[in-house]
Amino acid sequence: EAGVTQFPSHSVIEKGQTVTLRCDPISGHDNLYWYRRVMGKEIKFLLHFVKESKQDESGMPNNRFLAERTGGTYSTLKVQPAELEDSGVYFCASSQANSMGRDYTFGSGTRLTVV
Amino acid sequence: GQSLEQPSEVTAVEGAIVQINCTYQTSGFYGLSWYQQHDGGAPTFLSYNALDGLEETGRFSSFLSRSDSYGYLLLQELQMKDSASYFCAVRGGATNKLIFGTGTLLAVQP
């Protein structure tokens, strides 16, 4: 079974540019989550999709961040325009059912550097 | 709010035993999970405690005391490959999101 795939693995962009991160969850997983780890700090929740619907987007930092999940399959996270403080590692995770944290599968992340 | 505290760094030698503590404050409790993350890799699930006591999975064990809002991850027979960041996490209330601790960077030395 393929795991959670994220693309690109690394991205370096200039301040003010736009970047789109992509996440392909495990097939059949209705739940898809985005997290971010900034400067070696804790991993912070950004938002949660159930199929194509946003279940919880309380962690989105501001309106420069836009997440979509087309047809309940893959998801994209767009940052526009990017700021220096957006640098970090963006993780995607998926789970099949209501999770207690046991069946989360994370992707390897996208390391975003804004210069 | 919800928060989880862990030591920032722990250093140990190969073959030793190390304990990584986690104290938490949550509104509602749905169990404590532990994740391992190697630099550049995906966080991977290690262990989960819903009830008080010890859960053992090979060289890794996890303990929970709900009355003390405290848990720990115990790593035995340390190997160099165990050098990584370790996170405790709780479910964020009625939603499925995970709230992670501050992370502990474990360095295993020869």
Side-chain angles (χ1 to χ4, degrees), chain B residues 16-18 20 34-38 44-49 54-63 72-79 81-86 106 108:
Chain B
I17 299 173
V18 72
I20 299 174
W34 288 91
Y35 283 80
Q36 176 192 61
Q37 191 212 352
H38 286 97
T44 55
F45 172 78
L46 290 178
S47 188
Y48 171 77
N49 295 72
L54 193 67
E55 292 285 338
E56 297 181 71
T57 308
R59 294 188 297 114
F60 295 174
S61 302
S62 58
F63 172 82
Y72 65 72
L73 180 70
L74 192 72
L75 296 84
Q76 302 181 72
E77 300 173 19
L78 281 175
Q79 302 175 8
K81 68 178 181 179
D82 297 329
S83 294
S85 291
Y86 292 83
L106 171 64
V108 180

Side-chain angles (χ1 to χ4, degrees), chain B:
Chain B
Q2 295 167 303
S3 65
L4 297 92
E5 294 293 327
Q6 304 176 232
S8 59
E9 294 183 20
V10 173
T11 302
V13 297
E14 270 188 300
I17 299 173
V18 72
Q19 178 174 312
I20 299 174
N21 298 320
C22 173
T23 56
Y24 59 86
Q25 289 184 324
T26 62
S27 53
F29 182 73
Y30 303 90
L32 186 70
S33 300
W34 288 91
Y35 283 80
Q36 176 192 61
Q37 191 212 352
H38 286 97
D39 191 33
T44 55
F45 172 78
L46 290 178
S47 188
Y48 171 77
N49 295 72
L51 303 175
D52 292 351
L54 193 67
E55 292 285 338
E56 297 181 71
T57 308
R59 294 188 297 114
F60 295 174
S61 302
S62 58
F63 172 82
L64 175 67
S65 170
R66 288 174 294 171
S67 60
D68 295 322
S69 296
Y70 163 77
Y72 65 72
L73 180 70
L74 192 72
L75 296 84
Q76 302 181 72
E77 300 173 19
L78 281 175
Q79 302 175 8
M80 297 296 290
K81 68 178 181 179
D82 297 329
S83 294
S85 291
Y86 292 83
F87 295 88
C88 56
V90 295
R91 187 173 145 190
T95 69
N96 282 343
K97 67 185 180 187
L98 287 177
I99 309 297
F100 284 89
T102 48
T104 299
L105 181 61
L106 171 64
V108 180
Q109 298 178 340

Side-chain angles (χ1 to χ4, degrees), chain A residues 62-97:
Chain A
N62 50 61
N63 60 10
R64 296 185 294 102
F65 289 74
L66 175 64
E68 295 180 324
R69 190 179 183 192
T70 306
T73 55
Y74 71 91
S75 175
T76 58
L77 179 64
K78 180 189 289 187
V79 185
Q80 179 182 31
E83 298 289 345
L84 298 179
E85 64 264 25
D86 301 332
S87 295
V89 182
Y90 290 77
F91 291 104
C92 175
S94 71
S95 70
Q96 188 168 29

